[in-house]
Amino acid sequence: MVAARESKAANGTTQQVDVAVVGAGFAGLYLLHRLRKAGFTTVALEEAGDVGGTWYWNRYPGARCDIQTIDYSYTFDPDLEAAWTWSEKYATQPEILRYLGFVADRYDLRRDIRFRTKVTEAKWDEAAQRWQLTTDNGAPVSCRHYIMATGCLSAPKPPEIDGVKDFKGEVYFTGRWPHDGVDLAGKRVAVIGTGSSAIQSIPLIAEQATHLTVFQRTPNFALPAHNGPAPSDRMSLLQGDRATYREQARQSMAGVPYPQQTVVSWQLSDAERRERFERAWAAGDLVHILTQLWADQAVDVDGNKIVQDLIREKIRAAVRDPETAAALTPHDHPFGAKRPCLDTNYYATYNRPNVTLVNLRQEPIKAITASGIFTNGRSFDLDVIVFATGFDAMTGAIRAVHPITGRGGKSLTDVWAQGPQTYLGLTVEGFPNFFMITGPGSPSVLSNMAVSIEQHVDWVVDRLAALRAAGFTTMEPTETAQAGWGRHMADCSTLTLHRLANTWYTGANVPGKVQGLMPYTGGVGPYRSICDEVVSRGMLGFRLT
Ligand code: FAD
């Protein structure tokens, strides 16, 4: 810690630490805390001006979590849990950001974070057995271990449409929303995209704008959040026995303590299925509806189609104009194979007279000009364009540090030319002492990420401490272990319906990105057991030197 401060002052001289962390979101903050407690000198390098990660950058109207906040929280310290109370079932971005600031203050983390500092390159120095990091601001860093806590949804995808720079109005990106907010009153606004950020922001933008035009390429399934106070049944479970509740989350499939369903769809009558569905719809809970209807909903096309049809009915009931309702109804992917969204009045917003939906499947955008957007049928004069076009997920922020050079001068970009290869989603062969938090190959975005982040951080920091205690300097997975993990990932995914959807989980949203399902689909609890077994079997699949 002292070393970190001293070398920060000495701008230009290399900062020497045991462990460098990139990112100061949920993951980076917990890493700093754990590393310090384990006695490592450390620094976190963060491009943003403060802590928060996702919740620092995504300040668009309506930004909220979609996992209930009592579950989407740190659980490592019961005193921290006692010291913070969430005001809503799904907290807003400002409240989550306040929470992460509160955590940073409580553990005095900011003193080891270099803000407004982007890591631009990383190189393994074979002779020194250390990583050398280059930054765009201040001293380079030399570290024994290099941990990327750079986030799965932190690299916004650039717009694919020509002419954006010619547009004379205002342009905003949901993932980089201005800190002072944006006044949309009296303006003609376009939102491009209908993913989670769009679905959260569209109802609020429609309330402010003179007219809102939504440009949709692919409709998503969205479910009502029914936001409000945290539900009393979940609160009583949590407060009744907090330790058990948290442990059940850690052992669950998605990181939220719900039991696994054993009844399959065809064992239920139509009335029973509808009853289960209506209960889930009324609960306003993504994990509930994704996991609690029937056991075959995520693994069998027929079991899944029943859910899809029930949701389609809801969309038709909510949207008055049949043509708009049809355009908003997803038909190209199983429910859950693409991340569904939680909404507040999303579908009803299309009943407003000041909202127009443009279906880009029928009417593609031809150009953005100085005054607005031209499709092949119409022109839309606009004052503001909001891009809600998503992220280069899971690998975008990792690959943006370029090059990351491992053993023998190998670059990660080359090693991943055919898609990411990892062992456990945590490490890469040929890249000693390099770790990713919620990297490709881990459950990450298919889970409550707070739970997955804590598991990863605990595993990595415990391994570093054990390595040090045993007198080793490096750890790195073997080629065989990495290939085996790739095989296991593929086997797991063939049992799910993810293979039937082109999504950001598979890289399909980024032109030119190699396609393949990036998160591990075997579940949070089973994944944890595998990581633990690797340790109990003497660091199975790792080479220690
Ligand atoms: P991030 O929060 O993304 O932080 C990574 C940080 O690394 C960023 O601050 C970034 O600036 C920094 N960084 C990246 N590259 C560099 C570099 N080269 N140099 C320096 N700094 C760098 N997950 C859930 O489980 N539940 C939810 O309800 C949920 N809601 C979400 C809503 C939105 C709008 C979004 C975008 C994501 C949501 N997620 C949700 C996913 C969310 O990203 C994670 O839950 C979590 O916040 C990730 O934390 P992190 O620390 O791993 O990464």
Side-chain angles (χ1 to χ4, degrees), residues 43-341:
V43 64
L45 303 149
E46 169 56 65
E47 185 182 355
D50 200 354
V51 300
T54 291
W55 305 104
Y56 173 91
W57 295 109
N58 289 270
R59 299 173 188 238
Y60 59 83
R64 289 176 187 278
C65 57
D66 57 13
I67 299 281
Q68 292 194 24
T69 339
I70 56 166
D71 299 304
Y72 186 60
S73 307
Y74 290 115
T75 67
F76 63 87
D77 180 353
D79 292 341
L80 169 63
E81 290 207 54
W84 184 268
T85 306
W86 293 105
S87 69
E88 283 182 289
K89 179 174 155 191
Y90 298 105
T92 56
Q93 171 273 328
E95 187 172 2
I96 304 174
L97 186 60
R98 271 202 306 283
Y99 170 71
L100 292 170
F102 173 78
V103 170
D105 289 342
R106 188 175 174 92
Y107 303 102
D108 189 18
L109 299 176
R110 283 194 181 84
R111 71 185 150 94
D112 283 337
I113 306 175
R114 283 170 53 185
F115 293 110
R116 301 189 198 289
T117 305
K118 186 172 176 174
V119 173
T120 50
E121 279 179 43
K123 189 174 191 307
W124 174 249
D125 179 341
E126 195 79 49
Q129 304 271 282
R130 291 175 76 83
W131 282 95
Q132 311 297 340
L133 309 187
T134 310
T135 74
D136 70 349
N137 180 16
V141 175
S142 163
C143 53
R144 177 74 72 206
H145 302 281
Y146 166 40
I147 309 181
M148 293 193 85
T150 42
C152 294
L153 299 171
S154 54
K157 195 171 74 91
E160 291 159 38
I161 309 159
D162 289 342
V164 179
K165 57 184 179 326
D166 301 333
F167 181 60
K168 294 277 182 275
E170 302 159 52
V171 174
Y172 302 103
F173 294 82
T174 51
R176 290 288 182 273
W177 201 257
H179 289 201
D180 301 334
V182 178
D183 183 8
L184 298 171
K187 294 185 179 154
R188 296 160 303 172
V189 181
V191 171
I192 300 184
T194 49
S196 183
S197 304
I199 282 174
Q200 289 186 333
S201 59
I202 280 168
L204 294 171
I205 294 176
E207 281 173 14
Q208 295 174 42
T210 310
H211 196 91
L212 168 64
T213 310
V214 178
F215 293 84
Q216 170 193 272
R217 189 160 61 182
T218 316
N220 249 327
F221 289 104
L223 319 155
H226 299 308
N227 204 11
S232 53
D233 55 338
R234 306 300 303 166
M235 281 307 282
S236 340
L237 277 177
L238 175 67
Q239 286 163 349
D241 184 351
R242 193 173 282 270
T244 302
Y245 184 96
R246 295 302 189 205
E247 190 50 28
Q248 282 172 352
R250 292 179 192 122
Q251 301 303 336
S252 69
M253 290 303 279
V256 179
Y258 280 123
Q260 245 179 297
Q261 287 301 308
T262 49
V263 177
V264 291
S265 56
W266 43 267
Q267 292 174 307
L268 300 163
S269 67
D270 277 356
E272 285 168 329
R273 286 197 295 258
R274 184 168 289 275
E275 196 272 322
R276 282 182 176 223
F277 173 76
E278 292 296 345
R279 207 168 350 116
W281 192 261
D285 180 337
L286 210 52
V287 182
H288 184 131
I289 205 163
L290 279 167
T291 64
Q292 298 298 295
L293 295 178
W294 34 87
D296 52 337
Q297 68 179 94
V299 292
D300 177 77
V301 275
D302 295 330
N304 189 277
K305 181 156 183 312
I306 303 168
V307 192
Q308 294 174 39
D309 287 344
L310 288 164
I311 300 176
R312 289 185 189 121
E313 254 180 49
K314 294 285 187 193
I315 299 171
R316 281 195 295 273
V319 183
R320 274 190 226 120
D321 173 45
E323 203 182 318
T324 307
L328 287 167
T329 303
H331 281 288
D332 71 341
H333 63 275
F335 174 67
K338 180 172 188 159
R339 189 176 175 98
C341 308

Side-chain angles (χ1 to χ4, degrees), residues 390-457:
F391 300 92
D392 181 353
M394 300 203 73
T395 52
I398 297 171
R399 297 174 76 132
V401 176
H402 184 69
I404 299 175
T405 311
R407 217 187 268 290
K410 270 197 286 189
S411 125
L412 190 68
T413 312
D414 293 342
V415 172
W416 283 7
Q418 298 309 314
Q421 312 293 319
T422 71
Y423 183 41
L424 304 171
L426 281 159
T427 56
V428 184
E429 190 264 332
F431 296 77
N433 295 359
F434 168 66
F435 302 91
M436 295 162 295
I437 302 301
T438 64
S442 74
S444 61
V445 287
L446 294 179
S447 69
N448 169 5
M449 292 203 55
V451 167
S452 288
I453 285 169
E454 284 193 341
Q455 185 268 342
H456 267 189
V457 169

Side-chain angles (χ1 to χ4, degrees), residues 359-410:
N359 182 354
L360 296 177
R361 297 279 173 204
Q362 291 173 354
E363 194 184 338
I365 291 179
K366 295 200 88 167
I368 297 182
T369 63
S371 61
I373 295 180
F374 280 84
T375 65
N376 64 357
R378 289 181 278 179
S379 74
F380 298 87
D381 285 337
L382 299 165
D383 303 305
V384 178
I385 301 177
V386 174
F387 285 93
T389 40
F391 300 92
D392 181 353
M394 300 203 73
T395 52
I398 297 171
R399 297 174 76 132
V401 176
H402 184 69
I404 299 175
T405 311
R407 217 187 268 290
K410 270 197 286 189

